[in-house]
Amino acid sequence: MNRIRKITRVLIALLLLHLSAGAQNFVSKNIRIGLFSSTPLEDIRAVSDKGNAVLVSKTREIVVQLDVKTLEFDRKLMQEHFNENYIESDKYPNAKFKGVIDQPIDFTKDGNYGVTVTGTLSVHGIDKKRTIPGKVIISNGVVQISTEFNVACVDHNIKIPKLVFAKIAEFITIKAEGKFNPLK
Amino acid sequence: MNKIKYLLISFSLFTLHAQAQEADSLLKALDSGRVASTVDAAFKSTHVVLSHSSETQKKHDLDLRIRHHFGDIGGRFGSAHTLYGLDVATDLFIGLDYGVTDDFTVAVGRSKQDELFNFSGKYKLLKQKTDASMPINMTLFAQLGWIAREPLNNSEFAQYSDRFSYFFQSIISRKFSSRLSLEVMPGYLLRSNVEDNGDAKNLFSLGFAGRMKITKRLSFIADYTLVNGLSRPKDLTESYYNPFGVGLEIETGGHIFSLNFMNSEYIVENNFIPNTKKSWSKGGVRFGFTISRNFTLFKSKKEDPDKKSKIY
């Protein structure tokens, strides 16, 4: 009897282990991240396809990181000004969001979830606590995310001189989307 | 049996622990493949005060540059009679620089002095990297000068080729911090038209230049070119000086203004390297300015709509 109990215990432990192994991690190296600034004088857009991201399904933790130098503008001089004068990419090479998805999600089932993610947005060396809205779509083991939110330049100590104030918006719209693949 | 249980427990503890740091360590693993990026914008402009910087024009960008050197502030030709040199224009320059690629710029310009036309090519050979793999920028510069004015006497420009001069320079720069960039410029000038008969036709030069950012948009710039004391003979009837300029550079996104003070009367290398006859110590300093405006030409039509900028 005792023996049977012991075997059951081991079986349960094995089952738990199997479950925890089944909790998938997802990664992506090509999250598309774009920024958009709109004023009556000028629309400025830039985009990068080189965002890195990690999703730990068990803890619902999500991290998205971008090497800001990979953002491409159609005007190279604009890109240089962005890196030199505004984001100071030699000093602060990465922009990062690290947070936890607030709603429970079953990553093993296909589905379409509207979520919010609470965490820290780090841009230009300044961390800001944010809750941002997003969408999670799961189909055939592939997780797709998308989000759109505004960032106030002043929140991250990005100064726009009075001289060019009319050309750059105080709030920059950030869009991010991409597919995660399960990590094997 | 106990052993197995112990193993299982310790293993599950291990996986739990691993999971707590998982997101960050996974991100680090993704990050590790990243290549070092280049250090951009050692200088804001393609020129410092008198000399060239190691920067080239961006692809399909056209820079219109207007430069002006006034007369002596002090000395015999300066003071209140000429409004400290402002009545005099020793040299005027209009030029266009065009980026064929991000690394290769072609330029054409014309100066008042000698009615000199200049045609130049500038190629960025090496680019400073954020890691130690490449510590410097290196740009090669070649310029042809063509004197278009009438000869001053019958013997000048005996052959048509005497009107031409050639200047070669390699520009080595390094951005030491976001504030400070320095460069060294060894150069060689070949010419036929020599003002002083005892002077060497061909001259070595060694330039030094730097930029110190005061704020994000305002920089202090300076350059100095060593000509005397290199290959130049010492016993000349005219006294020549080494060109030295200092300035303030103001950048407003697309425009660059710089307010300069220098001892050289001339604007283009083929002129100011051999012919600077004024000295800082004898009131030969003059004011000058540069206005540079950048235009973007030929934007690709296939461009990603997510990076399209628009000016209304």
Side-chain angles (χ1 to χ4, degrees), chain A residues 25 43 69 80 84 98, chain B residues 22 24 38 58 175 312:
Chain A
N25 294 325
D43 282 347
K69 268 203 178 171
E80 188 180 294
E84 273 280 297
K98 185 180 181 179
Chain B
E22 217 158 12
D24 282 323
T38 54
K58 308 273 187 275
K175 191 177 186 177
Y312 294 107

Side-chain angles (χ1 to χ4, degrees), chain A residues 38-114:
Chain A
S38 176
T39 66
L41 283 181
E42 213 167 316
D43 282 347
I44 299 167
R45 284 189 180 83
V47 74
S48 167
D49 286 314
K50 298 196 174 84
N52 282 341
V54 168
L55 174 62
V56 178
S57 66
K58 196 182 171 189
T59 55
R60 300 201 304 274
E61 217 179 334
I62 185 163
V63 192
V64 181
Q65 181 173 292
L66 178 71
D67 178 350
V68 290
K69 268 203 178 171
T70 63
L71 279 166
E72 278 184 49
F73 293 68
D74 64 350
R75 291 165 183 237
K76 289 283 179 58
L77 200 63
M78 217 177 238
Q79 187 169 332
E80 188 180 294
H81 292 154
F82 171 77
N83 283 302
E84 273 280 297
N85 295 338
Y86 297 104
I87 211 88
E88 296 178 88
S89 57
D90 282 335
K91 230 190 264 175
Y92 312 108
N94 292 320
K96 187 175 174 182
F97 180 76
K98 185 180 181 179
V100 174
I101 300 170
D102 297 322
Q103 293 79 11
I105 290 178
D106 185 354
F107 286 96
T108 56
K109 249 196 245 157
D110 286 5
N112 205 330
Y113 304 85

